[in-house]
Amino acid sequence: MSLKMIEKEGFEFVQGGICAAKGFRANGLNCGLNPDREKYDLALFASDEICDAAAVYTTNLVKGAPILVTQEHLKQTGHKLRAVIANSKNANTCNADGVEKAEKMCALAAAELGIVPQQVGVASTGVIGENLKMEPIESHIHELAGGLTSDGGGRAEYAIMTTDTVSKEVAVSFELGGKTCHIGGMAKGSGMIHPNMATTLNFITTDAAIGHEALQKALSELVQITYNCLSVDGDTSTNDMILVMANGLAGNREVTSEETGFDVTKAEPKSDYEKFYTALWLVLVNLTRMLAADGEGAGKFVSCRVEGAKAREDAITLAKSVISSSLVKCAMFGEDANCGRVICALGYAGVSIDISGVDIDLTSEAGVMPAYRGGYAVAFDEEFAKKVLEQDEIEIVVRLKEGKAQGCAWGCDLTYDYVRINGDYRS
Amino acid sequence: MSLKMIEKEGFEFVQGGICAAKGFRANGLNCGLNPDREKYDLALFASDEICDAAAVYTTNLVKGAPILVTQEHLKQTGHKLRAVIANSKNANTCNADGVEKAEKMCALAAAELGIVPQQVGVASTGVIGENLKMEPIESHIHELAGGLTSDGGGRAEYAIMTTDTVSKEVAVSFELGGKTCHIGGMAKGSGMIHPNMATTLNFITTDAAIGHEALQKALSELVQITYNCLSVDGDTSTNDMILVMANGLAGNREVTSEETGFDVTKAEPKSDYEKFYTALWLVLVNLTRMLAADGEGAGKFVSCRVEGAKAREDAITLAKSVISSSLVKCAMFGEDANCGRVICALGYAGVSIDISGVDIDLTSEAGVMPAYRGGYAVAFDEEFAKKVLEQDEIEIVVRLKEGKAQGCAWGCDLTYDYVRINGDYRS
């Protein structure tokens, strides 16, 4: 399925993923962790200059060893990073020697790059609780570092993918004080994905100059309306991480944080911070939607927009409840306009709303189908409903009579393939 | 799959379901709501004497019209009931004329039985938001009431089943002050089932004499460790109801409520209240396990027992998180010992625990397979793991080092059939 991009005037989508920003080079290869030698499993990317960094991690109490090591490194360097090494096929989580091996991965990369290990972040994704083999990484680190190029973003992305069926890269260019800046990112999905954390592995690079504090503020705020509005299967992973690195090579005056309070989905950005914030949002929100559309086994991209809520948080909670419902997901898979399941999911979301004020529409490129008005089902034409639901992208629109806030959440349908993929994930 | 029953000395399982208790008669038939004329869709049961009643309803803000009408009737009669009418195939929920039609169902039954409509409870299950046809009910109510017999529990049960593949009836006999008493119940599942409410439709009858207050107290407490420990798909239905009716025909001295504080799973009941409480628990817990084992599309019954928790509520929350995880459910379907998903689900359950104290075993009739010790994965024999997971009943045992409390939760695997059934539920 080809997903529509969320766009904004003054911000141009460009190629290159994490290498779109000046001074970033990347590589990926198969080192042998994955027995399928066609599939890459080890990624490295590095900046020519030291970067200010910001990160958001999983809220799961069980945290992968790479998360612990990256957190510690950022603390030791005062949030400065030069490079990231990442592998797929093995999460290096719940292993007694996990931290030691994650540190070793950083040390191997640092030795090749001639930097200190603390300036390297590390990430792993794959099976939890299996011993990570170090030999394949040790024997390929030289080749990996030697192949770093400014067009290698796609290779790094291919190396971090697990059950993802398509690569997920977004980059935008924009201007700050007459200087052209870039933000680019890559992400991997595609199961064990649920709101309330930084979902999955996501690496974002920028050549804009922006300090750690402003970067962290922008990231933490934007995660609430992007990654945390995503659910594939309700499982919060142990290894989720979003890491942003800014090397300043665009030459702009350093962006500092502001209390903007502006609505990134609607308002025009004015200050440098608002512009950077908007560009980062465009990368995050489009990566989030790509993750939803490529959720494990997904056949359809399903989003829910809730309007007329008391607060944005309420709207997002309600929208998440709808797109997380197994029954709504199955109905979307079956192209069945069973909106009783939508109003049911609104009812158990834990947000106090007046059900007698609920309107629901099913929408897609084929049109808008009114399903509920004032809390009651309305008669509809089954043939038209089928046409609306046959499309690859479905938006469920919910209107409340509580206030003026709105929010979106993104997910996918529940299919035979999700069950197949996850019935036998370790092999 | 044939499910093991949870038993207790001094309490004997008997046949008859809701008709095991003296003075209850039941019937079920196909009235035409379900086009498959072989499948019953309309149930009625009645007590020869007025009953004290207690009930627990869904916590969903969207409540089916039958819930609203039953609540109102119990309020008007001071919690006294004589009969219940119930239909499957249509939930009579989110329809503008829903309350009017639910009232009409009670009036039709009351006229046949020669009682006031307020002494009739009503329940509906099936598709939400579709108009309920009254003609089939009106034209069959006389036949339905005329066919009430003391061996008709099975017919009533067959009439309330939807996607259930097996009937769910449990009845026990026990003694109170030298008088033989009975509690019997029936339940229907099997999707839109999730903790935090009284799940599904469940009707319990008893010939023991027990007032509303004691009955409601016992029911409300026991629901916490039975129905609320159940999840099939994370969706909390709009029409869930557990209704208990006690007609006193056993002739025992009326049971009054007590602050027992006794552990129904372990302690021996002493007082009449403790005995009644234990008998009610046996009916509820076994119905709950039957609902889990026959969850939509289920191939396996999966339970999780958490020991060594600080409080029982913590243990239940953790156990529920494990059996609700789509990834754990898929791994059970695939007979894959992927216990990283179990510890992951413990980690995001929202309970503060020390992960480094977590032991996990996979157990079944084939044996006990240690999977995690002290928060770390342990090596295991894949062939033995396969043998353990090939069984129909799997118990995941989690031991913590937090305290002495324990709790159980019950669910099932996630299968192709769940997706198939729910992709096309309305037809």
Side-chain angles (χ1 to χ4, degrees):
Chain A
M1 101 188 66
S2 80
L3 197 64
K4 277 195 297 276
M5 297 289 282
I6 291 189
E7 303 178 341
K8 190 114 179 175
E9 215 187 300
F11 297 82
E12 194 187 342
F13 288 110
V14 295
Q15 297 297 310
I18 55 167
C19 290
K22 288 188 202 81
F24 284 93
R25 290 172 303 127
N27 195 20
L29 50 69
N30 176 286
C31 71
L33 291 172
N34 194 325
D36 172 4
R37 305 306 293 237
E38 299 292 310
K39 170 68 178 77
Y40 292 179
D41 54 21
L42 191 62
L44 180 68
F45 68 91
S47 166
D48 295 343
E49 298 290 332
I50 192 82
C51 296
D52 283 287
V56 178
Y57 308 96
T58 181
T59 55
N60 197 314
L61 290 180
V62 181
K63 287 185 172 54
I67 298 267
L68 303 175
V69 168
T70 301
Q71 281 182 312
E72 181 60 26
H73 284 188
L74 281 172
K75 199 172 135 192
Q76 288 180 9
T77 61
H79 308 282
K80 305 282 186 191
L81 276 188
R82 275 287 295 277
V84 171
I85 183 167
N87 71 279
S88 55
K89 200 68 186 169
N90 186 313
N92 191 21
T93 296
C94 295
N95 300 317
D97 59 3
V99 167
E100 187 188 323
K101 285 181 173 170
E103 287 284 11
K104 179 75 180 175
M105 285 173 70
C106 294
L108 288 167
E112 290 291 331
L113 298 169
I115 58 177
V116 296
Q118 288 72 22
Q119 290 176 356
V120 183
V122 57
S124 299
T125 178
V127 179
I128 296 170
E130 279 192 4
N131 209 37
L132 176 64
K133 295 195 198 91
M134 286 305 289
E135 189 282 323
I137 300 173
E138 286 168 350
S139 62
H140 287 81
I141 189 72
H142 186 69
E143 180 189 346
L144 184 69
L148 288 172
T149 62
S150 60
D151 62 357
R155 296 195 298 275
E157 163 67 5
Y158 188 45
I160 62 170
M161 286 163 62
T162 51
T163 52
D164 306 71
T165 66
V166 296
S167 72
K168 298 164 188 82
E169 297 180 285
V170 176
V172 294
S173 88
F174 60 106
E175 294 220 341
L176 289 182
K179 306 287 185 184
T180 302
C181 298
H182 305 82
I183 301 184
M186 65 180 186
K188 64 80 51 185
S190 65
M192 213 176 257
I193 292 185
H194 185 64
N196 296 325
M197 87 263 71
T199 303
T200 76
L201 296 186
N202 302 270
F203 301 109
I204 318 286
T205 60
T206 180
D207 44 24
I210 178 167
H212 160 70
E213 195 196 333
L215 201 54
Q216 187 68 51
K217 177 179 156 64
L219 177 63
S220 297
E221 283 181 23
L222 288 170
V223 161
Q224 304 303 323
I225 56 168
T226 56
Y227 289 92
N228 283 3
C229 299
L230 168 68
S231 184
V232 168
D233 53 11
D235 281 276
T236 302
S237 161
T238 54
N239 287 48
D240 297 332
M241 181 194 301
I242 304 179
L243 183 64
V244 188
M245 292 166 63
N247 67 12
L249 286 176
N252 62 299
R253 203 177 59 186
E254 186 177 314
V255 177
T256 52
S257 75
E258 290 170 16
E259 282 306 327
T260 67
F262 94 114
D263 182 349
V264 71
T265 60
K266 290 182 177 170
E268 284 311 304
K270 295 200 170 62
S271 68
D272 282 2
Y273 181 75
E274 287 183 356
K275 282 181 194 156
F276 181 86
Y277 193 89
T278 302
L280 183 57
W281 172 70
L282 282 169
V283 171
L284 296 176
V285 74
N286 283 300
L287 284 175
T288 301
R289 287 163 53 93
M290 287 176 181
L291 286 165
D294 193 35
E296 253 163 7
K300 288 180 193 295
F301 172 65
V302 181
S303 60
C304 179
R305 181 155 47 92
V306 174
E307 302 172 349
K310 260 196 222 86
R312 191 182 68 183
E313 294 65 34
D314 289 352
I316 290 173
T317 301
L318 290 161
K320 275 184 189 175
S321 183
V322 171
I323 58 106
S324 300
S325 156
S326 292
L327 290 168
V328 171
K329 290 158 71 82
C330 284
M332 293 297 108
F333 167 67
E335 302 178 349
D336 180 24
N338 194 337
C339 282
R341 294 174 175 176
V342 173
I343 197 164
C344 175
L346 295 170
Y348 65 67
V351 176
S352 167
I353 56 168
D354 174 11
I355 293 294
S356 72
V358 174
D359 292 351
I360 302 172
D361 292 341
L362 293 177
T363 74
S364 75
E365 285 209 338
V368 175
M369 200 206 77
Y372 272 68
R373 289 292 178 268
Y376 293 124
V378 294
F380 60 85
D381 176 34
E382 288 282 355
E383 265 185 50
F384 178 57
K386 197 86 186 161
K387 269 187 202 151
V388 169
L389 294 179
E390 267 169 12
Q391 306 297 313
D392 285 346
E393 287 191 47
I394 310 293
E395 186 170 54
I396 300 166
V397 178
V398 176
R399 282 181 302 276
L400 309 175
K401 292 195 177 62
E402 310 284 322
K404 292 191 170 173
Q406 60 170 291
C408 270
W410 302 281
C412 56
D413 53 353
L414 177 57
T415 68
Y416 296 134
D417 278 350
Y418 178 86
V419 179
R420 182 184 53 74
I421 292 167
N422 286 302
D424 193 23
Y425 180 67
R426 291 185 308 144
S427 30
Chain B
M1 101 186 65
S2 79
L3 197 65
K4 278 196 296 278
M5 296 290 282
I6 292 189
E7 302 177 342
K8 191 115 179 176
E9 215 187 299
F11 297 82
E12 194 187 341
F13 289 110
V14 295
Q15 297 298 311
I18 54 166
C19 290
K22 288 186 203 78
F24 285 93
R25 292 173 299 129
N27 195 19
L29 49 70
N30 176 286
C31 71
L33 292 172
N34 194 325
D36 172 3
R37 305 304 294 239
E38 298 293 310
K39 170 67 179 79
Y40 292 178
D41 53 21
L42 190 62
L44 179 67
F45 68 92
S47 167
D48 295 342
E49 298 290 331
I50 193 82
C51 297
D52 282 287
V56 178
Y57 308 96
T58 181
T59 56
N60 198 316
L61 291 180
V62 181
K63 287 186 172 54
I67 298 268
L68 303 175
V69 168
T70 301
Q71 280 182 313
E72 182 60 26
H73 284 189
L74 281 172
K75 201 173 132 193
Q76 288 180 9
T77 61
H79 308 282
K80 304 282 186 192
L81 275 189
R82 275 287 297 274
V84 171
I85 183 167
N87 72 280
S88 55
K89 200 65 184 174
N90 186 313
N92 191 20
T93 297
C94 294
N95 300 318
D97 59 4
V99 167
E100 186 188 324
K101 286 180 174 170
E103 288 284 12
K104 178 76 180 171
M105 285 172 70
C106 294
L108 287 169
E112 290 291 332
L113 299 169
I115 57 177
V116 295
Q118 287 73 24
Q119 290 177 354
V120 182
V122 57
S124 299
T125 178
V127 179
I128 297 169
E130 280 192 3
N131 210 36
L132 176 63
K133 294 195 199 90
M134 287 303 290
E135 189 282 323
I137 301 173
E138 286 168 350
S139 61
H140 287 79
I141 189 71
H142 186 67
E143 179 187 349
L144 184 69
L148 288 173
T149 63
S150 60
D151 63 356
R155 296 195 299 273
E157 163 68 4
Y158 188 46
I160 63 169
M161 287 164 61
T162 51
T163 53
D164 306 69
T165 66
V166 295
S167 72
K168 298 165 188 81
E169 296 180 286
V170 177
V172 295
S173 86
F174 60 107
E175 294 218 343
L176 289 183
K179 306 286 185 185
T180 302
C181 300
H182 304 84
I183 301 184
M186 64 179 186
K188 61 83 48 184
S190 66
M192 211 176 259
I193 292 185
H194 186 64
N196 296 323
M197 87 265 69
T199 303
T200 76
L201 295 187
N202 302 270
F203 301 109
I204 318 287
T205 59
T206 181
D207 44 24
I210 178 167
H212 161 70
E213 196 195 332
L215 200 55
Q216 185 69 51
K217 177 177 156 61
L219 177 64
S220 298
E221 281 180 27
L222 288 169
V223 161
Q224 304 303 322
I225 58 168
T226 56
Y227 290 92
N228 283 2
C229 299
L230 167 69
S231 184
V232 168
D233 54 10
D235 282 275
T236 302
S237 159
T238 53
N239 287 50
D240 297 332
M241 180 195 302
I242 304 180
L243 182 64
V244 188
M245 291 165 64
N247 67 13
L249 287 177
N252 62 298
R253 204 177 58 186
E254 185 176 314
V255 177
T256 52
S257 76
E258 290 169 16
E259 280 309 325
T260 69
F262 94 114
D263 182 348
V264 71
T265 62
K266 290 181 177 170
E268 284 311 304
K270 293 199 173 64
S271 68
D272 282 1
Y273 181 74
E274 287 182 357
K275 282 180 195 156
F276 181 86
Y277 193 88
T278 302
L280 183 57
W281 172 69
L282 283 169
V283 172
L284 295 176
V285 74
N286 283 302
L287 284 175
T288 300
R289 287 162 54 92
M290 287 176 180
L291 286 166
D294 192 36
E296 252 163 7
K300 285 179 194 297
F301 172 64
V302 181
S303 60
C304 178
R305 181 155 49 92
V306 174
E307 303 172 349
K310 259 195 225 87
R312 190 182 69 184
E313 293 65 35
D314 289 353
I316 291 174
T317 301
L318 290 161
K320 274 184 191 174
S321 183
V322 171
I323 58 106
S324 300
S325 156
S326 292
L327 290 167
V328 171
K329 289 158 73 81
C330 283
M332 293 298 106
F333 167 68
E335 301 177 351
D336 182 24
N338 195 339
C339 283
R341 293 175 177 175
V342 174
I343 197 164
C344 175
L346 295 170
Y348 66 66
V351 176
S352 168
I353 56 168
D354 174 12
I355 293 294
S356 73
V358 174
D359 293 352
I360 301 172
D361 291 342
L362 293 177
T363 75
S364 73
E365 286 210 336
V368 174
M369 200 205 77
Y372 272 68
R373 287 293 176 269
Y376 293 123
V378 293
F380 61 84
D381 175 34
E382 289 282 355
E383 266 185 48
F384 177 56
K386 196 84 186 164
K387 269 186 202 149
V388 169
L389 295 180
E390 267 169 12
Q391 305 297 314
D392 285 344
E393 286 192 46
I394 311 293
E395 185 171 55
I396 301 167
V397 178
V398 175
R399 282 183 300 276
L400 309 176
K401 293 195 177 62
E402 311 284 323
K404 292 189 170 173
Q406 60 171 292
C408 270
W410 302 282
C412 56
D413 53 351
L414 177 57
T415 68
Y416 296 133
D417 278 349
Y418 178 85
V419 178
R420 181 184 53 73
I421 293 166
N422 286 302
D424 193 23
Y425 180 67
R426 291 185 309 143
S427 29

